[in-house]
PDB file of all heavy atoms in Angstrom:
ATOM      1  N   VAL A 188       1.034  46.945  21.206  1.00 97.00           N
ATOM      2  CA  VAL A 188       1.800  45.841  20.692  1.00 97.00           C
ATOM      3  C   VAL A 188       1.642  45.786  19.149  1.00 97.00           C
ATOM      4  O   VAL A 188       0.456  45.600  18.637  1.00 97.00           O
ATOM      5  CB  VAL A 188       1.434  44.433  21.259  1.00 97.00           C
ATOM      6  CG1 VAL A 188       2.301  43.476  20.568  1.00 97.00           C
ATOM      7  CG2 VAL A 188       1.826  44.545  22.734  1.00 97.00           C
ATOM      8  N   PRO A 189       2.693  45.994  18.343  1.00 96.00           N
ATOM      9  CA  PRO A 189       2.451  46.096  16.910  1.00 96.00           C
ATOM     10  C   PRO A 189       2.197  44.787  16.164  1.00 96.00           C
ATOM     11  O   PRO A 189       1.520  44.793  15.065  1.00 96.00           O
ATOM     12  CB  PRO A 189       3.825  46.648  16.495  1.00 96.00           C
ATOM     13  CG  PRO A 189       4.925  46.180  17.504  1.00 96.00           C
ATOM     14  CD  PRO A 189       4.058  46.224  18.720  1.00 96.00           C
ATOM     15  N   ASN A 190       2.761  43.690  16.705  1.00 97.00           N
ATOM     16  CA  ASN A 190       2.580  42.373  16.022  1.00 97.00           C
ATOM     17  C   ASN A 190       1.151  41.820  16.400  1.00 97.00           C
ATOM     18  O   ASN A 190       0.791  41.558  17.447  1.00 97.00           O
ATOM     19  CB  ASN A 190       3.605  41.399  16.404  1.00 97.00           C
ATOM     20  CG  ASN A 190       3.578  40.086  15.743  1.00 97.00           C
ATOM     21  OD1 ASN A 190       2.661  39.290  15.882  1.00 97.00           O
ATOM     22  ND2 ASN A 190       4.414  39.899  14.764  1.00 97.00           N
ATOM     23  N   ALA A 191       0.388  41.607  15.336  1.00 96.00           N
ATOM     24  CA  ALA A 191      -1.065  41.190  15.499  1.00 96.00           C
ATOM     25  C   ALA A 191      -1.173  39.745  16.168  1.00 96.00           C
ATOM     26  O   ALA A 191      -2.042  39.547  17.012  1.00 96.00           O
ATOM     27  CB  ALA A 191      -1.814  41.066  14.128  1.00 96.00           C
ATOM     28  N   TYR A 192      -0.316  38.928  15.862  1.00 97.00           N
ATOM     29  CA  TYR A 192      -0.174  37.503  16.459  1.00 97.00           C
ATOM     30  C   TYR A 192       0.117  37.615  17.966  1.00 97.00           C
ATOM     31  O   TYR A 192      -0.604  36.959  18.748  1.00 97.00           O
ATOM     32  CB  TYR A 192       0.811  36.585  15.662  1.00 97.00           C
ATOM     33  CG  TYR A 192       0.339  36.412  14.380  1.00 97.00           C
ATOM     34  CD1 TYR A 192       1.119  36.998  13.223  1.00 97.00           C
ATOM     35  CD2 TYR A 192      -0.607  35.442  13.953  1.00 97.00           C
ATOM     36  CE1 TYR A 192       0.665  36.757  11.955  1.00 97.00           C
ATOM     37  CE2 TYR A 192      -1.090  35.218  12.670  1.00 97.00           C
ATOM     38  CZ  TYR A 192      -0.360  35.911  11.561  1.00 97.00           C
ATOM     39  OH  TYR A 192      -0.738  35.718  10.397  1.00 97.00           O
ATOM     40  N   ILE A 193       1.058  38.361  18.290  1.00 97.00           N
ATOM     41  CA  ILE A 193       1.424  38.501  19.683  1.00 97.00           C
ATOM     42  C   ILE A 193       0.300  39.224  20.474  1.00 97.00           C
ATOM     43  O   ILE A 193      -0.014  38.812  21.579  1.00 97.00           O
ATOM     44  CB  ILE A 193       2.755  39.354  19.859  1.00 97.00           C
ATOM     45  CG1 ILE A 193       3.881  38.489  19.301  1.00 97.00           C
ATOM     46  CG2 ILE A 193       3.026  39.598  21.357  1.00 97.00           C
ATOM     47  CD1 ILE A 193       5.286  39.255  19.239  1.00 97.00           C
ATOM     48  N   ARG A 194      -0.313  40.250  19.737  1.00 97.00           N
ATOM     49  CA  ARG A 194      -1.404  40.998  20.380  1.00 97.00           C
ATOM     50  C   ARG A 194      -2.558  39.973  20.602  1.00 97.00           C
ATOM     51  O   ARG A 194      -3.200  40.022  21.714  1.00 97.00           O
ATOM     52  CB  ARG A 194      -1.817  42.117  19.432  1.00 97.00           C
ATOM     53  CG  ARG A 194      -2.710  43.198  20.091  1.00 97.00           C
ATOM     54  CD  ARG A 194      -2.695  44.408  19.343  1.00 97.00           C
ATOM     55  NE  ARG A 194      -3.281  44.227  18.032  1.00 97.00           N
ATOM     56  CZ  ARG A 194      -2.619  44.305  16.885  1.00 97.00           C
ATOM     57  NH1 ARG A 194      -1.351  44.778  16.917  1.00 97.00           N
ATOM     58  NH2 ARG A 194      -3.190  44.293  15.764  1.00 97.00           N
ATOM     59  N   GLY A 195      -2.822  39.056  19.711  1.00 97.00           N
ATOM     60  CA  GLY A 195      -3.975  38.167  19.875  1.00 97.00           C
ATOM     61  C   GLY A 195      -3.696  37.299  21.036  1.00 97.00           C
ATOM     62  O   GLY A 195      -4.511  36.956  21.900  1.00 97.00           O
ATOM     63  N   ALA A 196      -2.426  36.653  21.156  1.00 98.00           N
ATOM     64  CA  ALA A 196      -2.036  35.838  22.243  1.00 98.00           C
ATOM     65  C   ALA A 196      -2.137  36.561  23.607  1.00 98.00           C
ATOM     66  O   ALA A 196      -2.638  35.898  24.466  1.00 98.00           O
ATOM     67  CB  ALA A 196      -0.623  35.337  22.027  1.00 98.00           C
ATOM     68  N   LEU A 197      -1.805  37.723  23.666  1.00 98.00           N
ATOM     69  CA  LEU A 197      -1.901  38.594  24.956  1.00 98.00           C
ATOM     70  C   LEU A 197      -3.428  38.799  25.242  1.00 98.00           C
ATOM     71  O   LEU A 197      -3.760  38.680  26.466  1.00 98.00           O
ATOM     72  CB  LEU A 197      -1.307  39.850  24.815  1.00 98.00           C
ATOM     73  CG  LEU A 197       0.286  39.777  24.722  1.00 98.00           C
ATOM     74  CD1 LEU A 197       0.951  41.159  24.466  1.00 98.00           C
ATOM     75  CD2 LEU A 197       0.944  39.233  26.054  1.00 98.00           C
ATOM     76  N   TRP A 198      -4.329  39.009  24.301  1.00 98.00           N
ATOM     77  CA  TRP A 198      -5.691  39.197  24.571  1.00 98.00           C
ATOM     78  C   TRP A 198      -6.189  37.902  25.169  1.00 98.00           C
ATOM     79  O   TRP A 198      -7.064  37.791  26.044  1.00 98.00           O
ATOM     80  CB  TRP A 198      -6.486  39.551  23.210  1.00 98.00           C
ATOM     81  CG  TRP A 198      -6.309  41.042  22.804  1.00 98.00           C
ATOM     82  CD1 TRP A 198      -6.066  41.339  21.597  1.00 98.00           C
ATOM     83  CD2 TRP A 198      -6.567  42.123  23.559  1.00 98.00           C
ATOM     84  NE1 TRP A 198      -6.104  42.670  21.367  1.00 98.00           N
ATOM     85  CE2 TRP A 198      -6.376  43.243  22.614  1.00 98.00           C
ATOM     86  CE3 TRP A 198      -6.986  42.405  24.826  1.00 98.00           C
ATOM     87  CZ2 TRP A 198      -6.640  44.619  23.032  1.00 98.00           C
ATOM     88  CZ3 TRP A 198      -7.161  43.746  25.324  1.00 98.00           C
ATOM     89  CH2 TRP A 198      -6.957  44.704  24.361  1.00 98.00           C
ATOM     90  N   ALA A 199      -5.819  36.614  24.549  1.00 98.00           N
ATOM     91  CA  ALA A 199      -6.248  35.473  25.023  1.00 98.00           C
ATOM     92  C   ALA A 199      -5.726  35.157  26.390  1.00 98.00           C
ATOM     93  O   ALA A 199      -6.546  34.671  27.347  1.00 98.00           O
ATOM     94  CB  ALA A 199      -5.671  34.264  24.094  1.00 98.00           C
ATOM     95  N   LEU A 200      -4.553  35.540  26.720  1.00 98.00           N
ATOM     96  CA  LEU A 200      -3.985  35.437  28.182  1.00 98.00           C
ATOM     97  C   LEU A 200      -4.790  36.336  28.962  1.00 98.00           C
ATOM     98  O   LEU A 200      -5.107  35.868  30.247  1.00 98.00           O
ATOM     99  CB  LEU A 200      -2.469  35.884  28.034  1.00 98.00           C
ATOM    100  CG  LEU A 200      -1.808  35.773  29.571  1.00 98.00           C
ATOM    101  CD1 LEU A 200      -1.838  34.482  30.035  1.00 98.00           C
ATOM    102  CD2 LEU A 200      -0.398  36.426  29.392  1.00 98.00           C
TER     103      LEU A 200
END
Side-chain angles (χ1 to χ4, degrees):
V188 176
N190 186 286
Y192 295 103
I193 297 176
R194 196 164 60 245
L197 291 173
W198 285 128
L200 177 63

